[in-house]
C-alpha cells in the first residue's frame, strides 16, 4: 500500500507539469493582457511597451513558462502584477473561507444524499421515490446562480432568516459560540447552493447501487440467517452499495471547488472563488496560475483518496 | 405425528402479477421425518426452490403462499409473524444455496458472517462466538481454521465457500437443513466431498435435510425418501430404493430413461418430448398430460389426486380404478 501511494504521488508530478503547461498557454491565448487593465488607455504605446518589458511579457511564452516553473519549484508562487503582493499570501488569506464552504457542502452532500438514496431505494416505485426522483432531476439541472438568487430572495429578503451575503456580520464583535452561530447563519445558503447537485447525484447513485445489491444472493443468505430487516439493509446491503459511491466522493472534490467560483461570487463569500473571478477579469496571470495549480493538486489528491478508500471499503481490492 | 419434523400440507404459492395470479405451487404436500433426508427432484421451474423458500417464508415479492399449511414441529409456519419466523430462521431451520460464489457477503470475513448467526441466536459474546466459529470451520473440514476465520470469501475456493455456508447453517444445530442444489455449482470431485460432508454432519448433529436437486445421482446417494415435482405439483413420493427400482409416474419413468448408461450403444439420448408448460398455459387436467405418452381423455379433463399406491404416493390416473386399460 505504501509503495502504491508513493508511486501515485510520483505519477502526479508529470501530470501537474502537463496541466500547468496547458493552462499557461491557454491563458496567453486569451485576448487582453494585464497592462491593458491597469494602464490608462490614453498612455502612448511606447510607455506600454516599456512596462511590458519590465514585467517580462515581451519574451517568448515558453521562456515565460519555464521562468514561472523555476520560481514554483523554489516555492515562490510569484507576485500580483498590479500591487506586487505575494500570491502565496493572497491565497492563504482566502483559503480558509473556501475550505469552510466546500467542506460544509461536501459533508452536506453525503449526509443528506446517502440517507435520501436509501429511503428512495426502500420505497422503490412508490410516491416518495418518484418525488425524490423529480427533486434530484431538478437539483442536477437548475443553474446554481438561479438557485442561489432564489434562495436569497426567499430566505434572506422575504423571510429574513439568513443574511444575503458575506461570511460574518460586519461591525459586530462576536466571540465564542455566538461567532460560530454567526458563521453558520452565513454559510447555510451558499453551502446549500453548492451542495445541491452533488446531493442529487449521490442520492441517485446510492439508490441504484442499493437496489442492485438487494437482488444479490448474499442478501437472501442474510435473511435466511434470521437477521432483522434493518441489519440486512444497513449492515449487509449498504456497505456493499456504498463502494461505487466512493467514486462520486472523489469526483465531487474538484466539482465543489469549481462550483465555488460562482457560488462565492453570488454570495460575496471572501474565498478563492471570488479571488479567481477577479483575477481572470484583471488578467492576473500569477494568481490564475497559482489557483489552477492548487485546484489540480486537489483533483489529484481527491482521486488518490478515492482509490485508497476503495481498498479500505472493499477487501477484494488490494494495491501492490 | 410426533416423528414428522416437517409436514407440508396442500401448500399453494403463487405470484400476483399484472397478468393476474399465477399459481406456481399447486397443493404441494411433503413429509419429512426426524433424522431423515428428503430429496426433492424436478427440472427448472418445477417449484422445488419455491417450496423451500416457502418453508423459510422468504418467497420473493410478488409471491405469496395462499393456501395450505407448513407444519414444523407441529407449528404452522405460515401463521407466524415476522419476529417469530426470524427466531426460527438460521436457528431451527437453516438454508444453504446453490451459488457459494455469491451467497457470502464479499465485504465481511467468513468468521464474522458465521459469528453473526451465533451471536444473534445464542447471544454468545464475541470471544465465545469466535471460538465456536473456529470449531465449526474445523468440523466442516477447512484446514487451519484459526487463520481461515479471518479470510474474506474471495480468498476461498468454491468448495471451501460451500463448506463455510454449511458451517454457518449448522452453527446453531438446526433441526432442519434446507439444501437448495448445494452441489450444482461445484465441480464433480468437490460435489462428492460436499455431499459426504453433509451426510456425515447430519448423522453427527441429528439434523434432518430437505435436499433440493435436479440430479438423480445426488438423490440416490443421499436421500431416504424422494419427492418428484413437476410444474408446481408433487407427482410422486416414494422411499428411495423403491423409487429407483420401480418409478411409478410416467414423468419419473421418463426421467429415469433419460439417464445415459455406459452399456447403451444408442447414439441419441432418450428425452421426454415437449417442454414444461408455462404458468399462463397450464393444462386444466393433469399438468403432465401435454407430454405424456399414455394420456387418456380423463387426464386432460381432471387433475389426478395424490394417492397411496403400494407404500408410495403417486399422482396419476393410471393407478386408480377410473383408468381404462388400453385396448391393445
Amino acid at each position: 500500500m505504501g509503495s502504491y501511494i508513493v508511486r501515485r504521488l510520483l505519477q502526479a508530478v508529470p501530470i501537474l507539469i502537463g496541466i500547468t503547461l496547458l493552462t499557461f498557454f491557454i491563458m496567453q491565448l486569451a485576448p487582453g493582457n494585464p497592462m491593458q487593465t491597469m494602464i490608462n488607455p490614453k498612455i502612448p504605446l511606447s510607455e506600454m511597451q516599456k512596462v511590458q518589458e519590465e514585467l517580462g511579457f515581451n519574451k517568448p511564452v515558453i521562456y515565460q513558462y519555464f521562468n514561472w516553473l523555476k520560481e514554483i519549484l523554489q516555492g515562490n508562487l510569484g507576485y500580483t502584477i498590479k500591487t506586487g503582493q505575494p500570491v502565496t499570501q493572497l491565497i492563504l488569506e482566502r483559503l480558509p473561507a473556501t475550505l469552510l464552504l466546500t467542506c460544509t457542502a461536501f459533508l452536506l452532500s453525503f449526509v443528506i444524499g446517502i440517507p435520501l438514496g436509501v429511503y428512495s431505494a426502500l420505497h422503490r416505485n412508490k410516491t416518495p421515490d418518484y418525488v425524490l426522483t423529480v427533486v434530484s432531476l431538478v437539483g442536477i439541472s437548475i443553474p446554481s446562480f438561479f438557485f442561489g438568487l432564489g434562495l436569497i430572495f426567499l430566505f434572506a429578503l422575504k423571510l429574513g432568516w439568513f443574511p444575503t451575503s458575506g461570511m460574518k456580520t460586519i461591525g459586530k464583535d462576536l466571540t465564542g459560540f455566538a461567532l460560530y452561530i454567526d458563521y453558520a447563519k452565513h454559510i447555510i445558503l451558499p453551502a446549500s447552493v453548492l451542495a445541491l447537485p452533488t446531493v442529487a447525484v449521490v442520492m441517485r447513485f446510492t439508490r441504484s447501487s442499493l437496489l442492485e445489491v438487494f437482488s444479490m444472493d448474499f442478501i437472501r443468505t442474510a435473511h435466511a440467517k434470521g437477521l432483522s430487516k434493518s441489519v440486512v439493509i444497513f449492515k449487509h446491503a449498504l456497505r456493499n452499495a456504498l463502494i461505487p459511491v466512493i467514486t462520486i466522493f472523489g469526483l465531487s472534490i474538484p466539482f465543489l471547488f469549481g462550483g465555488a467560483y460562482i457560488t462565492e461570487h453570488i454570495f460575496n463569500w471572501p474565498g478563492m472563488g471570488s479571488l479567481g473571478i477577479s483575477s481572470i477579469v484583471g488578467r492576473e496571470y500569477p494568481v490564475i496560475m497559482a489557483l489552477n495549480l492548487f485546484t489540480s493538486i486537489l483533483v489529484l489528491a481527491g482521486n488518490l483518496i478515492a482509490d485508497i478508500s476503495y481498498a479500505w471499503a472493499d477487501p477484494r481490492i488490494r494495491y501492490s | 405425528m410426533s416423528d414428522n419434523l416437517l409436514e407440508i400440507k396442500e401448500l399453494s404459492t403463487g405470484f400476483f402479477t399484472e397478468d393476474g395470479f399465477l399459481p406456481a405451487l399447486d397443493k404441494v404436500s411433503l413429509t419429512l421425518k426426524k433424522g431423515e433426508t428428503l430429496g426433492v427432484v424436478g427440472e427448472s421451474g418445477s417449484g422445488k426452490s419455491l417450496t423451500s423458500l416457502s418453508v423459510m417464508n422468504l418467497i420473493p415479492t410478488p409471491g405469496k403462499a395462499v393456501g395450505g399449511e407448513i407444519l414444523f414441529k407441529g407449528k404452522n409456519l405460515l401463521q407466524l409473524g415476522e419476529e417469530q419466523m426470524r427466531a426460527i430462521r438460521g436457528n431451527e431451520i437453516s438454508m444453504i444455496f446453490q451459488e457459494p460464489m455469491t451467497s457470502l457477503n464479499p465485504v465481511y470475513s467468513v468468521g464474522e458472517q458465521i459469528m453473526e448467526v451465533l451471536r444473534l441466536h445464542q447471544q454468545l459474546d464475541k470471544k465465545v462466538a469466535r471460538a465456536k466459529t473456529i470449531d465449526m470451520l474445523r468440523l466442516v473440514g477447512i484446514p487451519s481454521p484459526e487463520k481461515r476465520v479471518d479470510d474474506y470469501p474471495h480468498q476461498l475456493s468454491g468448495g471451501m465457500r460451500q463448506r463455510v455456508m454449511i458451517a454457518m447453517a449448522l452453527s446453531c444445530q438446526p433441526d432442519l437443513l434446507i439444501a437448495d442444489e448445494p452441489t450444482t455449482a461445484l465441480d464433480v470431485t468437490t460435489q462428492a466431498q460436499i455431499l459426504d460432508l453433509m451426510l456425515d454432519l447430519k448423522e453427527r448433529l441429528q439434523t434432518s435435510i430437505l435436499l433440493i436437486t435436479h440430479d438423480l445421482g445426488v438423490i440416490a446417494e443421499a436421500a431416504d425418501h424422494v419427492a418428484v415435482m413437476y410444474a408446481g405439483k408433487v407427482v410422486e413420493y416414494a422411499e428411495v430404493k423403491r423409487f429407483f427400482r420401480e418409478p411409478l409416474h410416467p414423468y419419473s419413468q421418463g426421467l429415469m430413461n433419460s439417464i445415459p448408461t455406459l452399456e447403451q450403444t444408442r447414439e441419441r439420448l432418450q428425452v421426454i418430448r415437449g417442454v414444461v408448460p408455462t404458468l399462463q398455459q397450464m393444462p386444466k387436467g393433469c399438468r403432465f398430460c401435454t407430454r405424456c405418452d399414455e394420456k387418456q381423455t380423463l387426464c386432460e379433463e381432471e387433475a389426478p389426486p395424490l394417492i397411496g399406491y403400494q407404500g408410495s404416493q403417486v399422482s396419476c390416473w393410471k393407478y386408480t380404478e377410473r383408468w381404462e386399460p388400453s385396448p391393445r
Side-chain angles (χ1 to χ4, degrees):
Chain A
M1 191 69 173
S3 70
Y4 172 78
I5 294 173
V6 170
R7 209 166 59 232
R8 284 287 299 267
L9 290 176
L10 288 178
Q11 278 171 3
V13 175
I15 296 173
L16 277 178
I17 291 179
I19 292 170
T20 54
L21 193 63
L22 271 178
T23 45
F24 201 90
F25 278 86
I26 290 172
M27 200 168 62
Q28 297 284 343
L29 287 176
N33 62 44
M35 280 64 68
Q36 286 169 343
T37 63
M38 62 194 258
I39 295 172
N40 187 333
K42 286 172 189 154
I43 284 180
L45 201 64
S46 59
E47 280 295 313
M48 195 117 112
Q49 274 165 348
K50 218 174 109 193
V51 178
Q52 207 163 357
E53 259 168 55
E54 274 170 26
L55 291 168
F57 285 118
N58 57 340
K59 302 254 170 55
V61 180
I62 190 82
Y63 176 86
Q64 289 180 39
Y65 173 74
F66 280 110
N67 213 13
W68 176 83
L69 194 64
K70 194 180 84 195
E71 293 296 318
I72 286 291
L73 292 177
Q74 290 167 9
N76 181 7
L77 289 175
Y79 305 91
T80 63
I81 296 167
K82 267 178 240 176
T83 59
Q85 240 183 322
V87 174
T88 317
Q89 187 201 337
L90 203 61
I91 285 185
L92 284 182
E93 273 171 18
R94 301 296 196 103
L95 185 62
T98 294
L99 280 183
L100 183 66
L101 180 64
T102 45
C103 289
T104 309
F106 184 80
L107 279 180
L108 280 182
S109 308
F110 290 88
V111 169
I112 297 175
I114 292 174
L116 285 182
V118 173
Y119 184 80
S120 205
L122 293 179
H123 295 81
R124 181 192 193 178
N125 296 344
K126 293 191 186 125
T127 319
D129 184 29
Y130 290 134
V131 170
L132 284 173
T133 304
V134 173
V135 168
S136 69
L137 194 67
V138 171
I140 294 170
S141 330
I142 197 166
S144 61
F145 68 87
F146 184 78
F147 184 56
L149 292 178
L151 286 189
I152 291 175
F153 178 75
L154 184 63
F155 291 104
L157 296 181
K158 287 286 162 195
L159 296 169
W161 292 355
F162 306 110
T164 53
S165 66
M167 194 166 143
K168 57 184 175 187
T169 314
I170 295 164
K172 261 195 203 161
D173 204 10
L174 296 164
T175 47
F177 190 64
L179 183 68
Y180 290 122
I181 293 291
D182 194 47
Y183 275 136
K185 273 189 166 177
H186 280 82
I187 207 167
I188 284 180
L189 294 186
S192 309
V193 171
L194 195 52
L196 182 74
T198 320
V199 169
V201 172
V202 169
M203 180 170 100
R204 294 303 292 173
F205 230 80
T206 308
R207 175 189 181 272
S208 60
S209 178
L210 199 57
L211 286 177
E212 200 185 312
V213 172
F214 279 159
S215 67
M216 290 189 174
D217 288 344
F218 62 82
I219 294 301
R220 193 181 50 187
T221 308
H223 281 297
K225 282 157 108 176
L227 297 170
S228 68
K229 215 175 166 191
S230 60
V231 173
V232 175
I233 293 168
F234 290 103
K235 183 175 172 190
H236 286 271
L238 193 58
R239 175 141 176 220
N240 278 284
L242 288 185
I243 293 170
V245 178
I246 292 174
T247 312
I248 307 291
F249 165 98
L251 288 178
S252 70
I253 293 174
F255 180 83
L256 288 175
F257 274 89
Y261 272 61
I262 295 166
T263 311
E264 287 185 4
H265 195 68
I266 302 169
F267 289 91
N268 210 4
W269 189 262
M272 298 201 307
S274 43
L275 174 69
I277 289 187
S278 59
S279 305
I280 293 169
V281 172
R283 298 287 185 276
E284 280 284 4
Y285 294 157
V287 183
I288 300 173
M289 281 310 293
L291 288 173
N292 256 325
L293 186 65
F294 181 80
T295 317
S296 319
I297 292 173
L298 267 178
V299 173
L300 293 174
N303 285 343
L304 181 59
I305 292 171
D307 283 343
I308 295 170
S309 315
Y310 274 129
W312 167 78
D314 188 345
R316 284 165 297 186
I317 298 173
R318 285 286 171 266
Y319 302 117
S320 52
Chain B
M1 171 72 215
S2 61
D3 61 341
N4 282 348
L5 180 70
L6 179 74
E7 223 176 322
I8 301 177
K9 285 185 184 167
E10 305 211 318
L11 172 71
S12 295
T13 298
F15 294 96
F16 292 88
T17 68
E18 286 173 9
D19 306 332
F21 179 74
L22 299 177
L25 294 183
D26 183 26
K27 296 191 175 163
V28 167
S29 298
L30 290 172
T31 309
L32 175 57
K33 292 196 178 67
K34 227 173 221 166
E36 222 190 43
T37 300
L38 171 64
V40 179
V41 68
E43 55 198 299
S44 309
S46 61
K48 322 180 289 277
S49 290
L50 194 60
T51 307
S52 61
L53 289 174
S54 301
V55 174
M56 293 293 269
N57 206 342
L58 285 176
I59 308 162
T61 43
K64 201 175 180 324
V66 288
E69 288 181 323
I70 300 176
L71 297 175
F72 174 71
K73 295 203 257 183
K75 273 178 294 187
N76 185 359
L77 296 183
L78 292 180
Q79 284 172 348
L80 293 187
E82 178 62 19
E83 284 290 311
Q84 293 162 300
M85 201 56 220
R86 279 209 287 116
I88 289 178
R89 280 186 212 131
N91 191 17
E92 294 177 70
I93 306 178
S94 284
M95 193 161 178
I96 54 180
F97 300 98
Q98 179 176 354
E99 287 294 335
M101 306 310 272
T102 51
S103 292
L104 289 165
N105 193 330
V107 303
Y108 293 106
S109 69
V110 293
E112 162 81 30
Q113 295 185 53
I114 298 174
M115 277 162 67
E116 196 177 25
V117 192
L118 286 166
R119 299 188 66 189
L120 177 74
H121 292 299
Q122 303 193 342
Q123 285 82 35
L124 301 181
D125 69 49
K126 238 182 174 151
K127 256 189 171 162
V128 185
R130 190 181 162 89
K132 183 141 193 225
T133 298
I134 294 174
D135 286 346
M136 282 312 294
L137 290 177
R138 188 175 294 122
L139 191 67
V140 296
I142 288 184
S144 47
E146 305 81 12
K147 283 184 207 139
R148 289 302 197 176
V149 68
D150 294 318
D151 274 2
Y152 288 92
H154 71 276
Q155 291 166 298
L156 302 174
S157 67
M160 284 294 154
R161 287 187 216 185
Q162 199 60 299
R163 284 170 196 267
V164 169
M165 284 299 291
I166 293 172
M168 191 195 293
L170 296 180
S171 58
C172 291
Q173 305 223 349
D175 300 298
L176 173 61
L177 174 68
I178 301 176
D180 189 355
E181 309 239 8
T183 58
T184 306
L186 304 171
D187 63 59
V188 183
T189 43
T190 322
Q191 278 188 9
Q193 289 170 10
I194 294 290
L195 209 56
D196 286 345
L197 174 72
M198 281 175 47
L199 294 179
D200 177 41
L201 290 176
K202 176 201 147 200
E203 293 303 321
R204 278 209 250 173
L205 303 175
Q206 306 271 300
T207 303
S208 312
I209 299 181
L210 182 64
L211 179 65
I212 315 263
T213 181
H214 63 251
D215 187 344
L216 282 172
V218 170
I219 297 283
E221 191 170 338
D224 301 309
H225 277 83
V226 57
V228 180
M229 288 191 72
Y230 180 80
K233 269 185 108 76
V234 173
V235 294
E236 182 166 351
Y237 174 85
E239 192 271 320
V240 81
K241 283 202 184 99
R242 197 209 131 88
F243 176 77
F244 279 100
R245 201 170 54 234
E246 192 195 351
L248 295 173
H249 196 276
Y251 177 62
S252 313
Q253 291 163 357
L255 284 180
M256 296 288 230
N257 287 336
S258 7
I259 303 173
T261 59
L262 288 174
E263 293 89 53
Q264 279 171 340
T265 47
R266 266 201 318 249
E267 284 184 6
R268 285 179 67 96
L269 281 175
Q270 196 165 333
V271 295
I272 304 174
R273 67 181 167 82
V275 289
V276 186
T278 63
L279 289 177
Q280 285 94 339
Q281 345 163 295
M282 207 48 84
K284 189 174 107 207
C286 173
R287 290 187 170 198
F288 187 61
C289 73
T290 51
R291 302 170 75 186
C292 188
D293 291 327
E294 304 174 65
K295 80 163 179 221
Q296 301 189 345
T297 347
L298 178 62
C299 301
E300 286 173 343
E301 279 162 3
E302 204 177 325
L306 194 63
I307 52 151
Y309 182 79
Q310 295 178 1
S312 298
Q313 286 179 316
V314 63
S315 165
C316 180
W317 287 120
K318 220 168 109 179
Y319 302 98
T320 63
E321 284 158 6
R322 290 171 68 184
W323 185 259
E324 292 160 29
S326 48
R328 264 179 226 270

